[in-house]
Amino acid sequence: MSDADLKELADWHRDFRAGFPIITAHPGLAYLDSAATAQKPRAVLDAVQTYLTTANANAGRGTYPWANRTTELVERTRRRVGEFLGDPGGTGSAVHFTSGTTEGLRTVARDWLTAHLTDGDEILVPHADHRANLDPWREAADLLAARGVHVRIRPLPYQRSSGDYDHRALPALVGPRTRFVAATHVHHVYGGDMNVHRLRAAVGPGVPICLDAAQSVGHLPVSVSDLDVDFVVFSGHKALALPGTGAVWARNDPRRGPEFRPGGWRGTPNTVGIASLEAALDALDTAGVDRIARWTTALTARLTEGLAGLAPYEILGCQASLTAGTDVQRRHSLVSFRHPAIPSDDLGFILFSHGFMVRADTLCQAGADEKEGVVRVSVHGYTSVAEIDRLLDVLASLA
């Protein structure tokens, strides 16, 4: 199936790749760190240049044309984010811009969750996902404790074999004081969809769920109409936009808590980043996020299948989904692995000497220490089959 996808989408991939100047300008280098940040297409770079040279102004603070156009840009992009996430609109939902996923999660924790909890409440949070989806909830509990409100943090259970949440063990953790769940859509180390629908089934219809979608938005179709969650938080720079911009989508269902309103004075927004985000979402729609997902899933299957035949390497995540023909859910865009005799950071340097740019450390995984470093290969629609095949050849030579 994956080889068929790669053949069917070969022309699409060629055209998509050609739109990334940094990729085409360095044919000898393979950028395999798109989970850390995605490269920017010409359409986004052009949109930024156009904005800065034709309408650069502050938003919501002037009545002259440039200011009005910038204000409209911000509001238009707000609507655009909702549309991109499949929000039907007219339901009270809202989009708020942040600097990225980390700030977005902290904003939900600080400005919404702390006002929603009372003494003795419990929250469920991930202890082996990205630290950005653990630390904010701990900080919120600390803030409440300083006020004399004591909240119990309960860790989401995991399946050791796959890295997925253990949905069978989860119901035993849910009780009458469960008030909130923080979860991840696609795991940044294991690459698997964390099956949020099973979380909803376990906690019931009344508990709000906040979703870290940093590794899914821009990489595969994301629909808030299908995901029964209350917050979707993502970073623009992982979705083809510039660094320093992101968004929180809030459902604002009164049955699950008060309306989400970020606190503090609303200062100058990152208007350049917002301009890039609008262009990035347009570029993703033009390319087809479904085609990006098909291409990247096929590439990661090609990589795991090749790695599975190289005995020394340990591939993290579900071991039943390593072959291209598996019926088990495949990895989305990324593969993490270790070599038993070569430390991950050394392996990263070796791979760069062969022209490969990969991530090599603990990947900001909560609970991991330096001894648990891994090499992560993460791909996008601009990643080629030839790059993955050449990487496998190099890894084979190091086996």
Side-chain angles (χ1 to χ4, degrees), residues 140-330:
D142 290 342
L143 285 172
L144 288 169
R147 305 173 192 167
V149 177
H150 298 283
V151 173
R152 183 179 182 185
I153 297 178
R154 308 197 70 172
L156 286 171
Y158 293 84
Q159 297 174 351
R160 290 189 177 183
S161 60
S162 66
D164 194 5
Y165 300 134
D166 188 343
H167 301 93
R168 294 182 180 179
L170 185 60
L173 299 178
V174 178
R177 300 304 299 272
T178 302
R179 295 289 183 263
F180 178 81
V181 178
T184 299
H185 196 187
V186 171
H187 200 281
H188 74 295
V189 177
Y190 308 119
D193 186 322
M194 300 299 277
N195 295 302
V196 181
H197 64 285
R198 294 180 183 173
L199 287 178
R200 171 57 68 200
V203 303
V207 177
I209 296 176
C210 178
L211 195 61
D212 173 355
Q215 297 298 343
S216 56
V217 171
H219 297 267
L220 68 157
V222 176
S223 171
V224 296
S225 296
D226 297 333
L227 293 168
D228 191 8
V229 298
D230 299 272
F231 299 96
V232 172
V233 188
F234 71 95
S235 299
H237 74 96
K238 296 179 189 289
L240 308 187
L242 295 184
T245 186
V248 175
W249 174 89
R251 186 177 297 276
N252 290 331
D253 185 338
R255 296 170 297 178
R256 295 180 184 160
E259 181 181 356
F260 173 62
R261 292 183 178 181
W265 175 256
R266 293 188 182 183
T268 300
N270 180 2
T271 54
V272 178
I274 291 170
S276 77
L277 182 58
E278 179 186 44
L281 298 183
D282 289 344
L284 288 166
D285 272 344
T286 298
V289 182
D290 56 335
R291 284 178 285 193
I292 292 173
R294 286 174 59 199
W295 182 263
T296 57
T297 302
L299 284 183
T300 53
R302 192 180 187 95
L303 178 56
T304 54
E305 188 170 53
L307 274 174
L310 301 178
Y313 293 97
E314 174 196 359
I315 305 172
L316 277 63
C318 180
Q319 299 302 297
S321 63
L322 300 181
T323 62
T326 182
D327 292 328
V328 179
Q329 181 189 85
R330 298 176 183 173

Side-chain angles (χ1 to χ4, degrees), residues 335-365:
V335 178
S336 299
F337 58 90
R338 295 188 181 100
H339 190 291
I342 307 176
S344 62
D345 52 352
D346 289 345
L347 185 52
F349 282 119
I350 293 170
L351 290 177
F352 179 71
S353 72
H354 290 274
F356 299 102
M357 292 176 280
V358 300
R359 180 75 176 269
D361 55 28
T362 60
L363 309 183
C364 302
Q365 185 176 17

